[in-house]
Amino acid sequence: MRISRRAQAVAPFFAMEFGKHAAALESQGHHVIKLSIGEPDFGAPPAVLDAMREAMDGRPMPYTAALGLPELRQAIARFYRNEHGVEVDPSRVVVTAGASAALVLATAALVDTGDEVLIADPSYPCNRQIVESFGARVTLVPATAETRFQLDAASVKENWTDRTRGIMIATPSNPTGTSVPAGELAAICELARERDAWRLVDEIYLNLSDHDERGRPPRSVLSFDPGAIVINSFSKYFGMTGWRLGWCVVPEILVPAMERLAQNYFLCASAPAQHAALACFTPESLAVCEARRVEFAERRALVLDGLARIGLPVPVPPDGAFYVYFDVGRTGLTSWQFCERALREAHVALTPGRDFGVHTAETHVRLSYAAPADDLREGLTRLGKFVSTLQ
């Protein structure tokens, strides 16, 4: 059987690969501290679990509309108004089978073979893999600590060509947990808009960002660029990773294309998950999620303090998500070697920078603090002992 060139070109997702190795060690009786996967340990809010049990009481569960349950699309639109002060017409909300499906649909609607797309390096690997699967050429723009490992307007302008058709930004970012300052993001979007290019902004971790000094949540890109395409998910802020439910907000002109693509690619997102997700937007569930956001910030402080004591520098402290991107250059190991040996010798699973691009592939490692605080403490203790053996 001949395997397609597309499938052969797709690189492994190394975070998942290290997760498999960790599971193999556990099957041998070892206690592995898993800090490699971005999966909140909390799970869905209690009200959502109750809503799922009610939805699964034996009643018929037919397909929903391809764009999602109307009441869920309305609830998401209210969420933008209440949390971010942005008015979004529910007709522009597309409910999807996870944020990955939202990215697939948006890419299918926007990308033609030969188009060029600008993405920061480092960045989430699946984004560029999906874009390349549709025939686009991804330009990975090296991002440094000076720009918070993010694109800025200067780097976008410098790397723009006649073939550039769009830009993809994640703020906060996976793997770094760093955000693009609102003013800089507005400048990037304006530059792309002037060139008639699309702007796709991954806001999956937006609601896990730090609030400002007045207690206000971060701004959505939609507050200054209503024409941007926004990707979001129930996985991170709401803790519903395995539920595979996400959404995107798209310009009105894009809705018919998204609907046709959704009908053909997925039919619809999981109907039970959609019904249950309505309970995400109750005051009770939002209070639970906000308490968890605060706890993630406390875990971040614990991790940053621990890495500093070990002597593993974090060039840019994160301000959102639940990741820390630290530098292993002083250890004498590449990031891959560091992660392999940390797993084998200390039984701590991490993710090497190779997953996230080229620029920091050999020097940086991602740690996910989506694990319980006790696991983080134990993992840092083990890493400290492991690093001490490298001196």
Side-chain angles (χ1 to χ4, degrees):
M1 181 181 295
R2 184 176 65 84
I3 307 299
S4 73
R5 286 190 294 271
R6 180 185 303 107
Q8 295 179 54
V10 172
F13 189 3
F14 295 115
M16 304 301 288
E17 291 295 308
F18 272 84
K20 288 195 301 185
H21 296 325
L25 282 171
E26 284 188 320
S27 70
Q28 298 168 17
H30 298 290
H31 175 210
V32 178
I33 303 296
K34 298 176 184 176
L35 308 180
S36 55
I37 304 296
E39 186 165 35
D41 61 304
F42 299 116
V48 178
L49 297 175
D50 291 340
M52 176 59 94
R53 294 186 189 99
E54 182 179 347
M56 298 298 289
D57 62 0
R59 74 184 72 177
M61 193 60 66
Y63 300 127
T64 71
L67 297 178
L69 283 174
E71 53 267 46
L72 183 56
R73 298 167 73 195
Q74 292 163 6
I76 292 169
R78 285 195 301 271
F79 183 68
Y80 279 96
R81 183 182 66 226
N82 296 338
E83 296 296 315
H84 300 290
V86 177
E87 291 293 336
V88 173
D89 190 323
S91 68
R92 295 173 52 204
V93 177
V94 180
V95 179
T96 59
S100 296
L103 182 63
V104 167
L105 292 176
T107 304
L110 295 167
V111 167
D112 283 320
T113 299
D115 288 353
E116 182 181 80
V117 179
L118 303 183
I119 302 178
D121 178 354
S123 57
Y124 183 61
C126 300
N127 290 6
R128 63 178 180 272
Q129 298 285 359
I130 291 172
V131 170
E132 289 175 341
S133 291
F134 281 92
R137 176 181 179 272
V138 171
T139 297
L140 285 175
V141 179
T144 66
E146 286 67 35
T147 62
R148 302 178 54 75
F149 292 118
Q150 292 277 9
L151 295 177
D152 62 0
S155 63
V156 169
K157 188 173 183 178
E158 181 180 350
N159 286 274
W160 201 277
T161 74
D162 291 340
R163 300 180 71 88
T164 305
R165 296 292 177 266
I167 56 173
M168 294 181 65
I169 296 173
T171 179
S173 164
N174 176 3
T176 65
T178 60
S179 302
V180 182
E184 193 67 42
L185 183 58
I188 294 170
C189 290
E190 177 63 22
L191 187 153
R193 191 164 54 243
E194 289 173 350
R195 290 159 171 75
D196 196 28
W198 49 263
R199 293 83 58 204
L200 191 150
V201 181
D202 171 346
E203 293 187 344
I204 290 172
Y205 299 98
L206 181 67
N207 289 92
L208 287 175
S209 300
D210 294 342
H211 288 190
D212 66 14
E213 65 279 358
R214 295 172 59 183
R216 296 174 301 189
R219 297 171 66 187
S220 167
V221 68
L222 295 172
S223 65
F224 45 79
D225 186 1
I229 297 97
V230 169
I231 304 291
N232 213 317
S233 174
F234 288 89
S235 291
K236 309 303 183 179
Y237 182 64
F238 296 107
M240 297 166 62
T241 50
W243 298 58
R244 306 316 304 132
L245 198 63
W247 75 83
C248 53
V249 180
V250 301
E252 184 177 353
I253 193 172
L254 206 56
V255 173
M258 295 288 283
E259 184 172 23
R260 293 194 303 272
L261 290 165
Q263 289 168 341
N264 282 278
Y265 284 7
F266 306 112
L267 293 182
C268 68
S270 163
Q274 289 191 64
H275 283 284
L278 288 167
C280 287
F281 302 104
T282 64
E284 173 192 4
S285 292
L286 292 173
V288 168
C289 293
E290 275 302 291
R292 293 172 174 180
R293 181 186 64 80
V294 172
E295 183 168 340
F296 276 133
E298 293 170 353
R299 295 180 185 183
R300 178 178 64 205
L302 185 160
V303 169
L304 290 174
D305 179 66
L307 291 174
R309 283 188 282 105
I310 295 169
L312 295 170
V314 179
V316 187
D319 61 338
F322 33 65
Y323 305 112
V324 173
Y325 204 50
F326 63 90
D327 190 337
V328 298
R330 299 177 187 173
T331 67
L333 302 177
T334 67
S335 67
W336 188 270
Q337 292 167 337
F338 186 95
C339 289
E340 276 197 323
R341 289 187 58 180
L343 182 57
R344 185 174 66 249
E345 299 173 27
H347 297 151
V348 177
L350 300 161
T351 305
R354 191 181 299 180
D355 238 350
F356 308 107
V358 178
H359 185 59
T360 56
E362 299 303 320
T363 56
H364 287 67
V365 167
R366 188 192 75 176
L367 180 154
S368 168
Y369 55 87
D374 286 346
D375 280 4
L376 294 171
R377 292 188 187 94
E378 175 63 19
L380 289 164
T381 298
R382 295 184 187 185
L383 282 178
K385 293 177 180 176
F386 164 65
V387 171
S388 70
T389 68
L390 304 176
Q391 308 304 322

